[in-house]
Amino acid sequence: RKAKLFPPVPPLSFLHSFWSDGEQTPESRTFHSAAFCRPAMEINDGEEEEEFEFSRNYFLAKELGGSSKKSGRKISDIDPVDEQELRTAANNLEPKHEREVASLMESYKASYPEWGFMLRTGFGLLMYGFGSKKALIEDFASTSLTEYSVVVINGYVQSINLKQVMVAIAEVWWDQLKAKRRNSPSQAQQPFNSRSIDDLLAFMDGQEADDDKSFVCIIVNNIDGPGLREPESQHLLARIASCTHIRIIASIDHVNAPLLWDKKMVHTQFNWYWYHVPTFAPYVVEGVFFPLILAHSSTAQSAKTAAIVLQSLTPNAQSVFRVLAEYQLSHPDVEGKTTTLLHIPNLTIF
């Protein structure tokens, strides 16, 4: 803070009273002038004391506020609305700035050649910025990557089986190899479903292609989504991205998404090239898979949640739940099924 060099100037009438009342001596004149020309340090000390008083009062107020009685209100006291009703109201909201958003999306098309060049040189594209980037990335793939095979992974889905994703990628890559070797006999391949993860990675990283320009492009919408946030999933995706014939395009939306990767994953395996592409587009598709905080859990939502949980179970566990559900439907008056009755019909399943 700049120090004030001069004090405020008093009114002229007040000055005149000092010089008009009685006889003034040089000593008295010096005294009066000193009264008006106080040092700047004295003024600054007063301001610092005032600021200190303000800071002390602030912390005293915080201390008194923290020791006061807390509110007894709870989130459970809120009467939430039905989820379907809330989603309908959210979908009926009138979008704003449509012309500006469309113009912004159109401006990104000028970068499509650069994005394609970066993919061909071995980089992975990571799109970040506010707004859904799903439509932007898929438009880029449908217009600029027509000569390559594309596999889309939606990370906003609650549960994703990466082993099945790898099988699909291997099958797409194998079909692409067979299309380029129409005149040469193709070797018999072991079914990809029966291969291990290491065998699938070795196949995608092999030298079966005649040129290094051929690759399969993987699009991961929301690579930081709930279905892919586990460290095991991220490490497996990094190993897939590091394969010779794989290129990856991904989007992130969470502020802490970079914490999912270490230095090796960022610079060596994913080999990210970061692009800031805010679209300001609503998360319409991505938001369907997230429960609304202020919504009441409806029957449809409970059924959807139960279906997601059942899909994540092993086949044997799914069979157990199916037996339980069939027994409960056929015996509605019975509270449950005993352990003995449960094991006898399931001996053929396990």
Side-chain angles (χ1 to χ4, degrees):
R1 176 176 297 178
K2 296 182 179 179
K4 296 182 179 179
L5 299 180
F6 301 99
V9 179
L12 293 178
S13 60
F14 181 65
L15 289 172
H16 181 70
S17 64
F18 276 88
W19 299 104
S20 59
D21 297 342
E23 182 180 359
Q24 304 292 332
T25 62
E27 292 79 4
S28 62
R29 293 179 182 179
T30 305
F31 173 79
H32 292 314
S33 63
F36 299 124
C37 300
R38 291 175 298 172
M41 291 299 295
E42 182 181 348
I43 301 174
N44 291 340
D45 292 342
E47 292 182 354
E48 291 180 359
E49 183 178 355
E50 182 180 355
E51 292 182 359
F52 173 76
E53 186 70 17
F54 175 78
S55 302
R56 187 170 66 88
N57 292 338
Y58 171 78
F59 286 106
L60 285 176
K62 295 288 289 184
E63 183 178 356
L64 293 175
S67 60
S68 61
K69 184 178 179 180
K70 297 182 180 180
S71 174
R73 299 182 180 274
K74 302 178 181 179
I75 298 180
S76 58
D77 297 337
I78 302 176
D79 186 16
V81 299
D82 184 70
E83 181 174 1
Q84 189 62 33
E85 180 181 352
L86 187 57
R87 290 190 182 276
T88 303
N91 293 332
N92 292 334
L93 292 176
E94 183 179 356
K96 298 180 180 180
H97 310 291
E98 288 183 306
R99 183 182 303 176
E100 291 80 4
V101 170
S103 176
L104 181 63
M105 295 285 288
E106 190 69 22
S107 65
Y108 289 137
K109 293 184 178 181
S111 302
Y112 284 4
E114 177 187 347
W115 297 355
F117 173 76
M118 300 306 294
L119 282 176
R120 288 189 292 270
T121 53
F123 285 94
L125 307 184
L126 185 63
M127 311 296 185
Y128 70 99
F130 182 79
S132 174
K133 293 160 282 294
K134 184 176 186 295
L136 175 64
I137 296 176
E138 292 180 356
D139 180 71
F140 164 66
S142 60
T143 56
S144 302
L145 301 177
T146 54
E147 56 182 314
Y148 305 105
S149 300
V150 179
V151 178
V152 180
I153 305 174
N154 294 321
Y156 49 78
V157 180
Q158 298 293 331
S159 59
I160 299 175
N161 192 330
L162 285 181
K163 174 65 182 300
Q164 295 180 358
V165 172
M166 294 181 64
V167 170
I169 296 172
E171 290 175 349
V172 169
W173 174 237
W174 177 241
D175 293 338
Q176 189 171 329
L177 289 177
K178 290 192 297 183
K180 291 187 176 183
R181 301 176 179 178
R182 293 177 180 176
N183 299 329
S184 60
S186 59
Q187 300 178 356
Q189 288 286 336
Q190 179 184 355
F192 294 106
N193 288 325
S194 60
R195 295 193 182 189
S196 64
I197 292 179
D198 292 334
D199 291 340
L200 293 172
L201 290 171
F203 173 75
M204 291 184 286
D205 197 29
Q207 302 295 329
E208 285 84 358
D210 298 332
D211 56 345
D212 293 335
K213 297 181 180 179
S214 301
F215 58 82
V216 175
C217 184
I218 303 176
I219 296 177
V220 187
N221 294 312
N222 294 98
I223 195 172
D224 56 341
L228 299 173
R229 285 180 187 170
E230 295 297 327
E232 295 79 7
S233 300
Q234 291 295 327
H235 281 286
L236 187 55
L237 285 173
R239 294 180 63 186
I240 296 174
S242 64
C243 293
T244 307
H245 306 294
I246 299 296
R247 300 293 185 273
I248 186 169
I249 307 173
S251 64
I252 58 174
D253 288 286
H254 200 283
V255 65
N256 293 326
L259 299 178
L260 295 172
W261 312 306
D262 55 27
K263 185 177 180 180
K264 176 183 177 182
M265 296 168 67
V266 172
H267 298 291
T268 305
Q269 295 179 315
F270 284 120
N271 197 20
W272 290 129
Y273 199 97
W274 300 64
Y275 282 100
H276 184 218
V277 286
T279 62
F280 300 97
Y283 297 93
V284 178
V285 180
E286 298 90 332
V288 174
F289 297 89
F290 288 88
L292 300 179
I293 298 176
L294 298 178
H296 185 270
S297 181
S298 60
T299 305
Q301 179 64 26
S302 301
K304 184 189 298 185
T305 305
I308 294 174
V309 173
L310 289 174
Q311 290 175 2
S312 63
L313 299 176
T314 61
N316 288 340
Q318 292 178 4
S319 301
V320 172
F321 279 102
R322 186 192 51 175
V323 171
L324 290 172
E326 292 176 351
Y327 182 86
Q328 193 66 38
L329 290 175
S330 59
H331 302 81
D333 298 332
V334 181
E335 295 183 357
K337 194 172 185 179
T338 62
T339 307
T340 307
L341 295 176
L342 178 64
H343 280 72
I344 292 175
N346 282 320
L347 291 175
T348 58
I349 298 177
F350 291 98

